[in-house]
Amino acid sequence: MKIQLITQASPSLSRLFIIDDSSDWDLLPLTSQHISYIGACVDKKQHLITFNEFGTITMVLFLQKEDATYRTDENCRQKGMTVINTLNQHKVEEVLIENLSNLPHASLLLAEGISLGNYQFLKYKQEAANLRHSLQTISILESDAGANKVAELQTIIEAVYIARNLVNEPLSYLTAPQISQEIAICSQAAGFKHTLFDKKRIEEEKMGGLLAVNKGSVDPPTFNILEWKPENAVNEQPIVLVGKGIVYDTGGLSLKSTTNSMDHMKCDMGGAAAVIGALYAVSKNKLPLYVVGLVPATDNRPGGNAYAPGDVIKMRSGHTVEVLNTDAEGRMILADGLDYAKSYNPSLVIDIATLTGGALMTIAQEGMLLFSNASSEDTKTISEVGFQVFERLWEMPLWSEFSDKLKSNIADFKNVGGRQASSITAAKFLQNFTDFPWMHIDMASMGWMYQGQGYRLKQGSGAGVRLFYHFFTAKLNHYLNNSDTGQTSGVQAIETI
Ligand code: BES
Ligand code: ZN
Ligand code: ZN
C-alpha cells in the first residue's frame, strides 16, 4: 500500500471526507441535495455514506467521539475496514482522504486502518492476480498531515506487513535458516546491521537451551542479532528486544495432544516477527535511538535425537534446567537470548513471545500480558502506548512465591510450574536469566487471530510492531525532554501518531 501526500484533488479521483458534528458541511464540495441526504443519513445513524457517480466514488464518514481519546482513535482506524470493503467492491485504486473533522490526526488514523485492513497474503494462491484488492494508494491532502508523518506511517505499515507475512508463512518455507535470510533482506532494505550465529557459533556460545530445543530438528538453529546504532543516538546503553523464534511448535516429545492445537503453531515465531518489524521500522525511519533485537530460532519437534522430559540442560548462563515438558520450549530459547542481552549492558530489555496458552485463556484476543520489573515510568509508558495503538497490555504480578513452583529435585529449576498461573510461572522462569530492567510480553493471546477484529485481520496479527515503534518514539521524547542541554543531537521531539 502506498500512502502519499498530494496538493489537490483531480476531478476523477475517488474521495473520502471525514466529518463530525463540529464540521462546516458547506465546505464539502457537494451539492445541497447531497448535503441534505448526508444529514438524513446521519440522523438515522448511518455514518458512512457512499455516492457513485460514473465510477468515481465519493464517501462521507461521520465520526463520533468516544469517552476516551484512544477509543475515538481506534474507532477511526476501524472505520477504515468499512471503507475498504466499499472501495474494493467498486474497484477503486486510489482514494483521497480529506479531513473536515476536529480530530487532528483523523486522516492518518483512517489511512492506518485502511492500509492494515487491506493486507492480503496471496503468495500461495494461483488466482492471486484476480483476488488482489484493487486499492493500492491512499492520498492525504497536504494541509491535513506533514510529509514526515506520512512517510513514518508508510514505514510502520510496511513493518506490520513484514511481521504478518512472517507469521503467515508455513514451516515448509520459514525454517530457522530461512528466517535469518528474511532478516538479512530487511536489514538491507531498512539499514540495521544483521549478525547471524550459525550452529557452530551457537555451540561456542554454549546456548544450551536453544541447542536442546533444536535437537529433534532436521534444520540447524540460528541466532540473529539486529542492531540499530545511529551516530546521533540519544542513549548509550541500548534497549534490547528479544523475540521467541520457534518457527513451528509441535510440543516435541511432549507432543501437543489437544485436537487442532498444532494447526496454527507456525505462529510461534510471532515474537520474533514483532522484533524484526520493530527493527525495520526504527531503522528505516532513522529514529535516533540505539536498539538491538535478538532472535533465537528453531522449530520444536520430536525426532530420534530430540530432547526428552527428564533431561537436564546447561544453559548459556550456567544455570541447569530439568526439562519436564518439552512443549515449554519458548522459555528455553528465550533464556539464552536474555542471557546474551547482558553483554550489551542494556538500559532496558523487553522480550516478546507466544509463550503460554494461559495468556489466551486469561485475556482472550483482547490484549497481551505484561510482566515488568523495569521502572514504573517505562511500565506506565508502554501500557499507555498499548492503549494508544490498541495493542493493549495488562500487567500481571511477578510475586516471588510463584518461583517455588519451579524448584527441581536435581537441577537449578524445572522448566514448568504446573497448570495454575502458567503464564506467571513462565515469566518467573525467564526472570532467572535477567540482571537488568526487564519486561516480558506474553503475546500467545494475540499472535494469531482466530477471528478478525476489523483491520486486525484473521491469521498473523503483526502485533507488537506498532507497540514497540511508538514506545520508542515516546522514550525518545523522554530522553529529549530530560536532556540537560536540550540540544541533544538536534533532534526535534517526535509526536506519536
Ligand atoms: N507455543 C506454545 C504457546 C501457545 C499457545 C502459543 C497457544 C500460541 C497459542 C508454548 O510453547 C506452549 O506450548 N506452552 C505450554 C507450556 C506448558 C507445557 C507449561 C502451554 O502454555 O500450554
Ligand atoms: Zn510449546
Ligand atoms: Zn511454543
Side-chain angles (χ1 to χ4, degrees), residues 303-320:
N305 198 32
Y307 79 141
D311 280 358
V312 175
I313 307 298
K314 182 139 185 190
M315 312 293 278
R316 184 180 190 275
S317 63
H319 293 106
T320 55

Side-chain angles (χ1 to χ4, degrees), residues 438-460:
W438 165 71
M439 297 191 208
H440 158 60
I441 299 174
D442 193 334
M443 65 166 317
S445 45
M446 264 181 81
W448 184 262
M449 299 305 290
Y450 296 92
Q451 262 157 5
Q453 297 172 338
Y455 70 82
R456 262 187 304 284
L457 302 172
K458 225 169 149 156
Q459 307 187 352

